[in-house]
Amino acid sequence: MTEREKMLAGQLYDCGDAELLTQWHKAKNLAREYNQLDSTNTAAKDRILTELLGGRGANLWITAPFYVDYGNNIYFGNNCEVNMNCTFLDDSRIVIGDNALIAPNVQIYTAFHPTNAADRFGPQKEDGSFAFCKTQTAPVIIGNNVWIGGGAILLPGVHIGNNVVIGAGSVVTRDIPDNTVACGNPCRVVRENR
């Protein structure tokens, strides 16, 4: 099993793997290019997003700057908007349904590390350094017609249902069911969304 296969399967994997580093650097270069484009250069933006993302529907708008780990594990539905300064750590899949609104400074994480330092780093090398830390992943799935408020953080493995509003500044640590408004740290359902 390759390190990428382990990564996508949620197993401990080596971030320093050559294949993963090649993909990571490619994504960083594409994101940098995207973020430096003239705001009106929609043709170049479209070309970069086609190369960067795993898949997307029609009418995707991402305001620069936009940051990713690999890019190719991010999938958007139709009619989605991502506002400025969002960070998607897509070590596993990030799947976003149709008609999503993602406000500025939203962070979506799919990667996490063992809490035990010995498991995280392994043994110290002879020169005193450590290898890349070991990492695991869990996908983040976002339903249709979801609005994620500014500065929200979505942690690995969360699923957000359809027709959900996540309040600004929330830290989403668990699944949020369909047709709800949720906010806070940790994020909790505060009412039904009719």
Side-chain angles (χ1 to χ4, degrees), residues 76-80 96-100 142-146:
F76 284 98
N78 296 312
N79 308 314
C80 295
I96 299 168
D98 294 337
N99 310 313
I142 299 169
N144 297 323
N145 307 309
V146 172

Side-chain angles (χ1 to χ4, degrees), residues 62-138:
I62 299 177
T63 302
F66 177 59
Y67 304 100
V68 301
D69 258 356
Y70 298 96
N72 58 15
N73 297 318
I74 302 171
Y75 301 87
F76 284 98
N78 296 312
N79 308 314
C80 295
E81 180 179 342
V82 178
N83 213 319
M84 68 186 92
N85 208 37
C86 289
T87 301
F88 290 12
L89 298 186
D90 63 308
D91 299 58
S92 186
R93 291 179 311 116
I94 297 174
V95 179
I96 299 168
D98 294 337
N99 310 313
L101 296 176
I102 300 176
N105 300 305
V106 168
Q107 301 170 58
I108 302 176
Y109 302 145
T110 65
F112 60 99
H113 308 287
T115 55
N116 181 296
D119 294 337
R120 203 167 40 245
F121 292 105
Q124 191 173 10
K125 295 180 182 178
E126 286 185 22
D127 66 0
S129 68
F130 287 94
F132 274 90
C133 65
K134 297 293 185 184
T135 305
Q136 287 179 268
T137 68

Side-chain angles (χ1 to χ4, degrees), residues 23-33 68-70 89:
Q23 292 175 359
W24 189 86
H25 287 300
K26 177 183 178 184
K28 297 300 186 222
N29 290 332
L30 287 168
R32 184 190 69 243
E33 184 181 352
V68 301
D69 258 356
Y70 298 96
L89 298 186

